[in-house]
Amino acid sequence: MAKISKKICMVGDFSVGKTSLIRRFVDGQFDDKYLSTVGVKISRKEVEVAIEGETKNLQLLIWDIEGQTKFKAIAPSYLQGAKGAIIVADVSREETLDNIITHINLFRSVNPKGQIIIALNKADLIDEIKLQSFLDKHKYTEFDTIDTYETSAKTGDNVNRLFQELSGAILEMK
């Protein structure tokens, strides 16, 4: 069986946890030392996805894109050819939540048919009531996104589910 490879991008402001989510998903590890991504870093991970009763193997090429505002001009070239994106915000920094729509629009401007899922990351840093309020407020269904998940790279909550759901949606694309 031929291996299917698809490019996905991690998009969001600086320090929202894009690299940490990738590291948790790919290596099963978490490190709370902050290292800023410069440009782009590409990771690979093979996942099994069940589509219509059939299991398919998908190799994800995960592009971890720098979140600095000075970088916005060259971001479209890194987004080119991506079949999906995980838009990441930090629930402990409300301004990153306010920027989600900007990131959705940027990705859609380059990949109008690409699949998008939202990660409200660092969910372990706020209480349940505030987290639920964020989840209720930040659905983005009008932007044709797959879903919104609260995630924690530190605890691993919903990290695999996030990537699995995006992988399934990409494979179902016609």
Side-chain angles (χ1 to χ4, degrees), residues 38-170:
V38 177
V40 66
K41 180 180 184 280
I42 302 169
S43 300
R44 298 173 194 270
K45 170 102 180 199
E46 193 167 307
V47 294
E48 285 187 356
V49 181
I51 302 288
E52 299 171 2
E54 184 183 339
T55 301
K56 296 186 179 197
N57 289 328
L58 173 65
Q59 180 170 333
L60 293 175
L61 304 173
I62 309 165
W63 288 49
D64 183 3
I65 299 175
E66 174 182 348
Q68 300 291 350
T69 49
K70 66 182 182 202
F71 178 72
K72 297 279 187 251
I74 45 178
S77 62
Y78 286 139
L79 296 172
Q80 194 69 43
K83 299 300 179 194
I86 298 175
I87 310 291
V88 186
D90 175 348
V91 294
S92 68
R93 292 174 34 226
E94 193 143 3
E95 70 275 9
T96 69
L97 296 163
D98 296 338
N99 293 332
I100 289 174
I101 294 169
T102 302
H103 297 302
I104 291 171
N105 290 335
L106 175 63
F107 182 76
R108 286 267 188 249
S109 72
V110 178
N111 302 294
K113 295 183 179 175
Q115 299 290 327
I116 296 175
I117 197 162
I118 310 295
L120 302 182
N121 198 34
K122 303 186 184 182
D124 56 295
L125 298 180
I126 65 171
D127 68 59
E128 286 284 328
I129 295 168
K130 191 171 183 180
L131 181 59
Q132 190 57 52
S133 171
F134 283 140
L135 285 172
D136 293 342
K137 183 179 173 187
H138 298 278
K139 289 290 186 197
Y140 306 103
T141 51
E142 70 271 21
F143 293 93
D144 195 29
T145 60
I146 300 166
D147 208 343
T148 301
Y149 287 103
E150 77 278 6
T151 60
S152 170
K154 185 175 187 174
T155 66
D157 287 350
N158 287 325
V159 176
N160 287 342
R161 185 174 176 193
L162 184 74
F163 284 93
Q164 282 292 143
E165 183 118 5
L166 181 60
S167 298
I170 289 170

